[in-house]
Amino acid sequence: MTTELSDIETKLASLRQAATDAIASVDSLEGLEELRVSYLGKKGQISKILGGMGKLDPADRPRLGAAANEVKVALQSQLDSKREALQQAQIQAQLEAETLDVTMPGVYHRLGRLHPLNSTFDQVIDIFVGLGYTVAVGPEMETDYYNFEALNTPPDHPARDMQDTFYLPDGNLLRTHTSSVQIRYMEDNEPPVRIVAPGRCYRRDTVDATHAAVFHQMELLAVDEGLTFTDLKGTIAEFIHQIFGDVKIRFRASYFPFTEPSAEVDVEWKGRWLEVLGCGMVDPNVLKAVGYDPEVYTGFAAGFGIERFAMVLHQIDDIRRFYSSDLRFLQQF
Ligand code: DAH
């Protein structure tokens, strides 16, 4: 063995000892990484020692190579287990720092609730879904055609006066009722039809306890072969009994351009007759407008004022309360 070799081996041994001590005492992952670079890195101390190999007798080189490799492997494994230990300690420290006291009182969040108009809609829709109807919708901005003309209400028709309309500068209008959805739905679908169409409507009404410029309706439409007024009556009676319980109902002859015959339905409520909806057999002209053959199909329709139902269900005396956003009012529901 040459002196150079034993020199280098001594250096290697003391380097191993120094590295082992340093790894044992380092207390951060950054520090550990620095040690790794310093000992095992490309330009690290072991590489430097091996750099001196050139001076060695070629016969001694394999022996030094093996010794250096053993040191590398040993240090790498020390580094690995130290890294693992430091990471565990870090997680542990974090867990301890973030301890939750589950016995502390929580932060109270007030629960929101459904607006009474929305819960009334839900109730009404649920009943009709139970009777086999599906929900349809249409736009709030309408054309004269869908809101009036196709509903058998031509421009000079006196019934237009019943519904003071908001016209828009472009000639469109804000729908005065959800009946427009009847036309849109029938244009896109073939009979049989069973739909309810909930939505917002607009009228230039003077606002008072029972009238609002913006209000809500739900339209009902059924078209099929052989539907009669009896089907209409049965459907409406079933609905009224589901929503109001065992009350007296009265069908009163009325007039709407899009139904013939037409009726209004009153419910006996607290000793008085209360009007809750309009309805009738779909006028043949309406069926013709959407390309249905009135010789084959008949239909019935109805329009429900949702505010009216909500007022009765919740004993609310003034329609304006629905739109006031007064929490004292809303929190009762
Ligand atoms: N569209 C009517 C209104 O707003 C309500 C109505 C009456 C709708 C009779 C109907 C119906 O579908 O058949 O006053």
Side-chain angles (χ1 to χ4, degrees), residues 48 73-74 101 193 241 254 294 299:
K48 256 187 222 146
V73 171
D101 180 354
V193 172
H241 288 140
S254 183

Side-chain angles (χ1 to χ4, degrees), residues 163 176-177 179 182 203 217 219 256 258-259 278-280 301-303:
Q163 304 190 356
T176 58
H177 50 191
S179 302
Q182 291 190 23
R203 279 185 210 178
Q217 283 192 343
E219 195 76 10
F256 299 101
F258 29 87
T259 43
C279 62

Side-chain angles (χ1 to χ4, degrees), residues 6 10 30 34-35 39 52 54 85 89 94 105 156 158 171 174-175 220 240 259-260 285 315 333:
S6 83
T10 314
E30 297 75 33
E34 278 167 22
L35 288 178
Y39 286 104
Q94 195 176 352
D156 55 351
L174 297 178
R175 70 176 175 199
L220 168 94
I240 297 285
T259 43
E260 179 60 33
N285 284 338
Q315 330 245 358
F333 303 99

Side-chain angles (χ1 to χ4, degrees), residues 48-86:
K48 256 187 222 146
I49 290 176
L50 291 176
M53 276 224 286
K55 285 184 269 167
L56 285 184
D57 185 336
D60 289 338
R61 288 179 196 167
R63 180 168 150 179
L64 179 66
N69 208 39
E70 193 206 311
V71 174
K72 269 191 190 170
V73 171
L75 291 183
Q76 187 62 57
S77 116
Q78 288 175 26
L79 284 166
D80 288 346
S81 43
K82 183 73 182 203
R83 174 172 302 112
E84 175 71 24
L86 286 173

